[in-house]
Amino acid sequence: DMGNFSEGVELHRRALDARERTLGKEHPETLQSLSQLALALDNMGHLPEAEELQRRALDAKERTLGPQHPSTLRSIERLADLLQDLGKESEAAELQKRAAVAP
C-alpha cells in the first residue's frame, strides 16, 4: 500500500530532522536515519532523491566512521544497488569492487 510507504517516508523525514537538530548532521545515528530515508524513497521508486541522500550518507560515513566501517560498507552496497537500478552500471560496479575489497 503506497499510503503506508508515504507515511513511512514522512516518519523517516521527521526522524532525520530531529536527529540533525539534536545530534548534528554527521552523528552516526543521524547518518543511519539518512540511509533509512534513502531506502524508503528507493522502495517508493523515488530513485533520484534516494541516490542523492545515499551519496550524502556515504560521504559523511567515510569521513566520520572510515571507509572500512560496517555501516560505511553497507552504504556502499546500497548505493551500488541503487545505481544499478538507475542504469549507472559502471559506477555501480566500481562501488561493488570497493565493498568487495574490504576485509
Side-chain angles (χ1 to χ4, degrees):
D1 177 1
M2 273 311 200
N4 290 339
F5 275 122
S6 294
E7 288 173 23
V9 166
E10 187 53 37
L11 289 173
H12 284 299
R13 285 190 198 281
R14 281 193 236 142
L16 175 61
D17 182 56
R19 285 185 170 164
E20 283 179 340
R21 282 186 282 110
T22 58
L23 302 173
K25 288 189 180 286
E26 295 200 343
H27 188 280
E29 288 181 33
T30 304
L31 299 177
Q32 185 62 30
S33 286
L34 186 58
S35 289
Q36 292 299 321
L37 174 56
L39 202 53
L41 288 164
D42 183 4
N43 288 334
M44 284 192 62
H46 297 283
L47 302 184
E49 186 180 3
E51 178 189 3
E52 177 189 333
L53 296 180
Q54 204 61 269
R55 285 183 190 280
R56 256 179 57 199
L58 177 57
D59 289 345
K61 286 179 181 183
E62 285 180 324
R63 271 195 315 279
T64 60
L65 302 174
Q68 303 302 315
H69 191 278
S71 184
T72 304
L73 295 173
R74 271 192 307 279
S75 284
I76 289 172
E77 290 166 357
R78 285 181 180 159
L79 181 56
D81 289 344
L82 186 54
L83 291 170
Q84 192 78 33
D85 292 344
L86 284 163
K88 299 178 180 182
E89 286 88 8
S90 61
E91 190 178 358
E94 286 300 314
L95 285 172
Q96 287 164 341
K97 278 189 226 164
R98 274 177 52 196
V101 171

